[in-house]
Amino acid sequence: MAKGSHFLVGLVLLHCLVAMAEAEHLRYKDPKQPLNTRIKDLVDRMTLEEKIGQMVQIDRSVASADVMKKYYIGSILSGGGSVPKPEATAKDWVDMINEFQKGALSTRLGIPMIYGIDAVHGNNNVYKATIFPHNVGLGATRDPQLVKKIGDATALEARATGIPYVFAPCIAVCRDPRWGRCYESYSEDHKIVQSMTELIPGLQGDLPANWSKGVPYVGGSKKVAACAKHFVGDGGTTKGINENNTVATRHELLSIHMPAYYNSIIKGVSTIMVSYSSWNGEKMHANRDLITGFLKNTLRFRGFVISDWEGIDRITSPPHANYTYSIEAGVNAGIDMIMIPFNYTEFIDGLTLLVKSNAIPMSRIDDAVKRILRVKFVMGLFENPLADYSLTDQLGSQEHRELAREAVRKSLVLLKNGENADKPLLPLPKKAPKILVAGSHADNLGYQCGGWTIQWQGLSGNNITSGTTILSAIKNTVDKETKVVYEENPSLDYVKSNDFSYAVVVVGETPYAETNGDSLNLTISGNGTETINNVCGRVKCVVVLVTGRPVAIQPYLNKIDGLVAAWLPGSEGTGVADVLFGDYGFTGKLARTWFKTVDQLPMNVGDSHYDPLFPFGFGLSS
């Protein structure tokens, strides 16, 4: 018996030791372990192939569970308009993402992938999501707490679709409105941009007390990892040409374009995206001094640095001309995750050879992988890798639409109101016999939302997603006895021959994104100026500008009785009617200088040649 009991005790002891060894063996899977212990434990177990896989981000169109498993892919994204199917539901998104995630989890180490999307004004790729005003409008609100709430709502709508990572906020300081991304910038003034980094704690959650500076933070399953972009100087390129060269001293770069990155890092931003642009002729994607030297070493950023879409390809001109060189330059500069998004095997093969030939040191690969894993651990992805359907009702919720409507109200800037303060046109009377609503942007939800909405370049029309056009909002706001006549492009004779009490003319820019929006003349699209000429001067009129930036308006200003900058208000056009008809007052102030002529550009507040049509900070109240 004694021998038998000794044997049993030994067996139990052996089991305990095996169990302890097993627990020790999988320290990275134990959420009770310190963050750095988990990271080190996992990195120590990884092969070169597994490490390189973590550094790869591919588009969903080339992803599958098998691809995730075979290549150990660390991340997937939806490029603009890359969706599971047209008009996909929240459930469709969750199903697709979980299918990819199961492929990642089936690998030897079971490292979950992270799914990213451009949710730059709400979860804007997704059908029926709430579309908030673009950043140019939010800058005019001067309301960081409102922007924080928008971050919170955007996080919920992203998680509703199973997405835990968003490429926002854009903290560019747009110094020239000719830039096609100017609407993604909150202001020409870095102080306003800095204040609007409150979007980050909205997206990610407020940092706990004593959180280590520079360490990324994501506060649970209702929050998402954020991405400050585009590092650095993207808003300062010559003539506002997208992806071009920013000519600036180091002092100018650090004092204008860098400050919002300090705030973002202090607020625990998880990731930072590198800019396509150059600084004094050197491509940012290859700038080791700024990415590794300044961002990582000086600012002590501990999250991961991600490239832009095919960003390393564009290190060379023409793009992809010497891909091996581009991989070496980009990775050695300090980029941790590479947005490829299609030719991932070419990248994997190229990076593997560069590491094996010691052109890229193993320490650089380990730094990249540790940073990526740090974000994944902090987010709780290892504990909760699969999305569920518990938040699907948050997509386009009434509460979020009310918040977007409030943001529209606060973003509107009143630039002119009657001949003088004694004879204001606004607020407009709700009760009138007959009013005219005119212009290409009055009844076009796609135009109202602008670029980065459902498709990368935006769309035209009212069936692109759910929302309320400005025309619908006016009809719903005026007295039921008031006759509202809509004529998109009324002729002069038409206006003369009708007895309108007043007119609302809604014109602006048609949607664009990035380089497609670069413009040297900044004119109103289509028949917009003709509509202003035909309507204004014949009848009392307020012109509502739906644009991503200031546009040339001076030649028409004398004809216009009231002028409102509505920017790109998004899906909730009712916010415009709320203020036009006086249910709320105008409170928005210009966060951008409004030029007289494009010949003055670039012109920003504080410049010696400052002679604006409407100065920075201008905004009448009604």
Side-chain angles (χ1 to χ4, degrees):
M1 282 301 287
K3 272 188 177 175
S5 60
H6 280 313
F7 176 73
L8 283 173
V9 169
L11 204 58
V12 169
L13 200 58
L14 185 64
H15 273 297
C16 289
L17 287 169
V18 167
M20 284 166 65
E22 189 68 20
E24 181 71 14
H25 179 63
L26 297 174
R27 289 168 84 178
Y28 76 90
K29 288 197 171 181
D30 179 1
K32 295 189 180 74
Q33 293 289 329
L35 178 60
N36 287 335
T37 303
R38 298 182 77 185
I39 295 167
K40 184 179 185 309
D41 181 61
L42 182 48
V43 172
D44 286 349
R45 298 176 191 282
M46 294 171 75
T47 63
L48 176 61
E49 198 179 4
E50 288 165 333
K51 288 175 181 177
I52 286 173
Q54 282 302 300
M55 297 171 66
V56 175
Q57 185 181 64
I58 62 174
D59 187 74
R60 55 154 290 285
S61 60
V62 296
S64 68
D66 288 343
V67 165
M68 303 307 288
K69 184 175 183 181
K70 184 175 178 183
Y71 295 100
Y72 310 103
I73 302 292
S75 183
I76 304 178
L77 85 153
S78 274
S82 183
V83 299
K85 64 184 186 187
E87 301 185 3
T89 63
K91 182 182 182 298
D92 292 330
W93 281 92
V94 171
D95 289 345
M96 174 191 73
I97 291 167
N98 280 347
E99 189 60 29
F100 296 144
Q101 187 67 281
K102 285 169 187 170
L105 296 174
S106 70
T107 55
R108 182 178 73 95
L109 295 168
I111 304 172
M113 66 88 188
I114 181 171
Y115 198 101
I117 201 166
D118 282 283
V120 297
H121 61 144
N123 194 5
N124 48 259
N125 280 281
V126 176
Y127 185 63
K128 292 192 173 176
T130 309
I131 306 295
F132 292 93
H134 268 299
N135 290 355
V136 65
L138 297 181
T141 69
R142 301 292 203 284
D143 191 341
Q145 289 311 303
L146 173 71
V147 168
K148 185 179 181 180
K149 286 180 193 167
I150 289 171
D152 180 60
T154 301
L156 283 170
E157 296 210 13
R159 285 289 195 171
T161 50
I163 297 168
Y165 177 28
V166 302
F167 308 126
C170 176
I171 54 173
V173 183
C174 173
R175 303 290 285 175
D176 193 324
R178 292 174 290 186
W179 185 37
R181 304 195 80 151
C182 204
Y183 66 77
E184 296 184 57
S185 167
Y186 293 107
S187 179
E188 71 192 40
D189 176 13
H190 69 83
K191 293 190 191 73
I192 291 177
V193 178
Q194 286 178 270
S195 72
M196 294 302 174
T197 58
E198 274 303 289
L199 189 84
I200 292 166
L203 291 167
Q204 297 191 156
D206 290 310
L207 292 184
N210 305 319
W211 192 258
S212 300
K213 188 191 162 202
V215 174
Y217 177 74
V218 181
S221 61
K222 292 183 179 178
K223 295 295 180 183
V224 294
C227 179
K229 65 185 189 180
H230 309 86
F231 186 84
V232 58
D234 50 345
T237 58
T238 304
K239 294 185 180 175
I241 297 168
N242 191 41
E243 304 184 19
N244 207 16
N245 189 28
T246 297
V247 179
T249 65
R250 191 174 182 91
H251 174 73
E252 286 166 339
L253 189 81
L254 297 188
S255 61
I256 295 170
H257 299 283
M258 193 69 79
Y261 286 95
Y262 309 149
N263 300 79
S264 300
I265 291 164
I266 288 163
K267 291 173 184 179
V269 74
S270 294
T271 75
I272 289 175
M273 186 183 291
V274 183
S275 178
Y276 286 130
S277 58
S278 304
W279 175 47
N280 296 337
E282 184 179 355
K283 290 275 189 182
M284 279 305 312
H285 274 74
N287 194 317
R288 190 171 190 279
D289 171 47
L290 284 174
I291 298 172
T292 297
F294 196 80
L295 181 61
K296 290 183 173 182
N297 295 343
T298 303
L299 298 185
R300 308 280 297 162
F301 173 59
R302 290 287 169 268
F304 69 78
V305 175
I306 186 168
S307 82
D308 207 330
W309 177 279
E310 295 180 343
I312 64 165
D313 301 51
R314 301 188 204 186
I315 290 171
T316 59
S317 185
H320 208 83
N322 183 344
Y323 198 52
T324 304
Y325 168 76
S326 292
I327 297 169
E328 183 178 345
V331 173
N332 275 339
I335 301 173
D336 304 310
M337 185 178 280
I338 319 294
M339 193 186 292
I340 298 178
F342 305 120
N343 298 331
Y344 56 93
T345 55
E346 183 187 13
F347 172 80
I348 289 168
D349 293 345
L351 182 53
T352 304
L353 283 171
L354 285 162
V355 175
K356 286 183 173 173
S357 66
N358 297 320
I360 295 176
M362 200 65 205
S363 57
R364 174 72 274 276
I365 301 298
D366 286 347
D367 171 58
V369 175
K370 283 173 185 171
R371 288 167 177 277
I372 293 161
L373 294 177
R374 184 174 292 123
V375 171
K376 290 183 177 185
F377 280 125
V378 161
M379 291 173 71
L381 262 185
F382 280 80
E383 286 68 59
N384 296 295
L386 295 173
D388 59 41
Y389 307 107
S390 62
L391 294 173
T392 52
D393 63 342
Q394 295 292 326
L395 188 71
S397 73
Q398 194 53 41
E399 188 183 347
H400 296 165
R401 293 188 183 278
E402 288 300 325
L403 177 64
R405 182 175 170 179
E406 177 191 350
V408 174
R409 291 196 292 263
K410 291 180 173 177
S411 68
L412 301 180
V413 181
L414 181 57
L415 298 172
K416 183 177 180 182
N417 191 11
E419 285 305 301
N420 55 56
D422 298 329
K423 290 186 177 176
L425 176 64
L426 293 152
L428 298 169
K430 291 181 183 176
K431 194 158 189 164
K434 184 164 66 166
I435 66 173
L436 172 65
V437 178
S440 51
H441 288 56
D443 192 32
N444 195 312
L445 189 63
Y447 285 5
Q448 210 171 284
C449 292
W452 288 113
T453 308
I454 305 300
Q455 295 283 347
W456 175 41
Q457 293 294 329
L459 292 161
S460 174
N462 290 338
N463 60 352
I464 63 159
T465 191
S466 296
T468 307
T469 68
I470 294 169
L471 174 65
S472 297
I474 290 170
K475 287 178 174 176
N476 293 336
T477 304
V478 296
D479 188 89
K480 62 180 183 301
E481 301 296 316
T482 299
K483 186 176 181 188
V484 179
V485 176
Y486 172 59
E487 192 71 32
E488 187 174 333
N489 299 307
S491 68
L492 196 58
D493 290 341
Y494 179 85
V495 181
K496 276 183 185 171
S497 62
N498 275 276
D499 188 17
F500 293 114
S501 307
Y502 59 82
V504 180
V505 178
V506 191
V507 292
E509 296 185 294
T510 50
Y512 54 80
E514 301 190 42
T515 305
N516 287 11
D518 287 358
S519 169
L520 292 176
N521 53 23
L522 297 178
T523 50
I524 291 167
S525 298
N527 300 321
T529 53
E530 184 189 332
T531 305
I532 292 171
N533 281 328
N534 288 349
V535 176
C536 300
R538 301 285 170 269
V539 60
K540 287 280 183 196
C541 80
V542 56
V543 172
V544 178
L545 293 174
V546 176
T547 67
R549 53 202 162 185
V551 290
I553 196 69
Q554 188 188 32
Y556 320 101
L557 198 54
N558 287 338
K559 287 189 174 181
I560 295 168
D561 300 291
L563 181 62
V564 176
W567 314 111
L568 296 170
S571 60
E572 306 312 304
T574 310
V576 176
D578 283 340
V579 185
L580 288 182
F581 293 95
D583 291 331
Y584 294 82
F586 282 91
T587 57
K589 305 293 179 195
L590 287 181
R592 303 211 54 77
T593 296
W594 206 293
F595 58 87
K596 289 176 179 172
T597 71
V598 289
D599 299 337
Q600 296 174 294
L601 299 175
M603 177 176 64
N604 294 285
V605 64
D607 289 350
S608 56
H609 67 290
Y610 199 68
D611 181 27
L613 182 62
F614 301 108
F616 175 88
F618 181 79
L620 302 171
S621 49
S622 61

